[in-house]
Amino acid sequence: MDAMIPVDTLEVTDTGFNEQFRLRTDSITKSSSTDENEIRSSDVIEPIVKTAHSTSSGFDVHNVYEAFLSALKEPENPKSPISTQDYINGYRELVKFFDQLGYVFKFVKDDVVSKLTILQHFVDQDNGDTPHYDTIQKAIDYETDNNLIKTYPENFPRTLLRLHRALIFIEEFLRGLSERPSSDSTVTIATNAYDSTLYYHHGFLIRTTVKVGFRALPSRKQLDEILFHGQKSNMIEQYKTFIKTIKQIYDIIEEYYAEKKYLQLP
């Protein structure tokens, strides 16, 4: 197998404590000894009607939905195979949203881009007669059966696990924006989403830095414009369906990792 693409480092200079430190770009999803909460869902995703609205960044809720829905090879199957390429494509669309959220989401964005590059490398090199990386489940089985997880530190299951952990934070943040009352600020919604997800994989310094950074997030009104481009009343149901799709994909992967006992890969 070709050599894996190295993970860069991210230098953070404005932490709120007048000090400088360096973090690996995967620190946003670094594992700890904390137990994982297993989430299950048998929800079936309904078809969505396209309403195209995008910002200058190119972010479009429908494009994210379309990519992630394509990843579900069997949408009515609670254990549906997940297309690796479509999962990557969906995440790439979410990156466009991160660009609108200010510096704090650079933590998530840089880690996601790094991990997506690694996964794309696996897919691009998978050009034999029998594909091994066309679905997430097949990729995990292939590397397990061939003992590649111990051989390559940046193996497929470990790389995907970091994206997987970030995805549930993103899903809870986006869901909170649509479900929480208008009196809840963006900071409150982001903090609640973080505390129930990525918080458990971080040390004190990262936790503190991220929460300080949340204070610079756009307001609810600004995020509504980014997400709905002035068409919230027309798009809110589609938006909720898009969130449901992401959650279904997360639950399928979560259960598969739990079966393999891979939720705590170092």
Side-chain angles (χ1 to χ4, degrees):
M1 179 178 291
D2 293 344
M4 294 296 98
I5 300 169
V7 178
D8 297 326
T9 57
L10 168 65
E11 186 173 278
V12 181
T13 57
D14 184 10
T15 68
F17 302 101
N18 298 318
E19 60 181 334
Q20 185 179 85
F21 61 98
R22 294 178 67 84
L23 301 172
R24 288 193 64 199
T25 53
D26 65 350
S27 61
I28 192 68
T29 49
K30 187 176 181 180
S31 63
S32 71
S33 60
T34 306
D35 291 337
E36 297 282 348
N37 292 323
E38 295 186 15
I39 304 172
R40 299 290 183 268
S41 172
S42 59
D43 292 337
V44 176
I45 303 304
E46 299 294 335
I48 193 169
V49 178
K50 182 171 182 179
T51 304
H53 297 284
S54 63
T55 65
S56 59
S57 69
F59 175 74
D60 187 321
V61 168
H62 177 78
N63 289 343
V64 185
Y65 168 83
E66 212 168 42
F68 277 114
L69 184 61
S70 295
L72 284 168
K73 307 299 287 184
E74 301 169 14
E76 296 185 5
N77 180 0
K79 295 187 177 183
S80 170
I82 306 296
S83 164
T84 308
Q85 185 63 68
D86 290 315
Y87 182 90
I88 293 171
N89 293 345
Y91 239 123
R92 284 176 174 159
E93 290 296 323
L94 283 176
V95 167
K96 299 175 184 178
F97 179 61
F98 302 157
D99 286 335
Q100 306 297 305
L101 299 179
Y103 185 79
V104 65
F105 269 75
K106 181 175 173 62
F107 281 97
V108 180
K109 178 186 173 181
D110 287 357
D111 188 33
V112 165
V113 170
S114 172
K115 298 299 183 286
L116 290 176
T117 300
I118 295 171
L119 292 191
Q120 189 66 62
H121 177 78
F122 282 115
V123 174
D124 290 345
Q125 296 299 311
D126 189 32
N127 50 16
D129 294 335
T130 303
H132 301 299
Y133 292 93
D134 57 329
T135 72
I136 284 172
Q137 293 92 329
K138 284 172 64 176
I140 293 171
D141 288 346
Y142 173 74
E143 294 206 349
T144 300
D145 294 343
N146 289 276
N147 200 33
L148 298 178
I149 297 174
K150 294 180 180 179
T151 306
Y152 296 100
E154 290 177 350
N155 54 72
F156 187 98
R158 181 187 183 279
T159 301
L160 178 66
L161 181 60
R162 274 58 187 174
L163 290 170
H164 176 66
R165 289 171 178 168
L167 187 64
I168 191 59
F169 163 65
I170 297 164
E171 186 273 338
E172 291 206 13
F173 176 61
L174 293 173
R175 179 160 48 84
L177 291 175
S178 68
E179 293 182 356
R180 299 305 303 164
S182 58
S183 57
D184 282 5
S185 67
T186 307
V187 177
T188 298
I189 293 170
T191 300
N192 289 342
Y194 178 78
D195 285 348
S196 64
T197 57
L198 290 176
Y199 176 93
Y200 298 103
H201 304 292
H202 294 166
F204 172 79
L205 185 58
I206 297 175
R207 290 172 180 173
T208 304
T209 302
V210 169
K211 289 190 176 184
V212 169
F214 282 158
R215 298 175 187 173
L217 284 170
S219 67
R220 294 283 295 274
K221 182 177 181 180
Q222 289 170 319
L223 284 181
D224 276 354
E225 180 62 26
I226 292 169
L227 291 167
F228 305 113
H229 206 59
Q231 300 292 325
K232 185 172 182 177
S233 61
N234 296 330
M235 297 180 65
I236 189 63
E237 292 306 316
Q238 294 184 350
Y239 177 82
K240 290 179 179 179
T241 305
F242 142 66
I243 299 299
K244 197 175 181 181
T245 304
I246 292 180
K247 184 60 164 57
Q248 183 178 355
I249 289 173
Y250 173 87
D251 288 346
I252 291 170
I253 296 174
E254 177 82 356
E255 183 172 357
Y256 204 73
Y257 269 80
E259 290 175 359
K260 296 291 185 180
K261 295 181 171 58
Y262 283 168
L263 286 171
Q264 295 296 338
L265 282 176

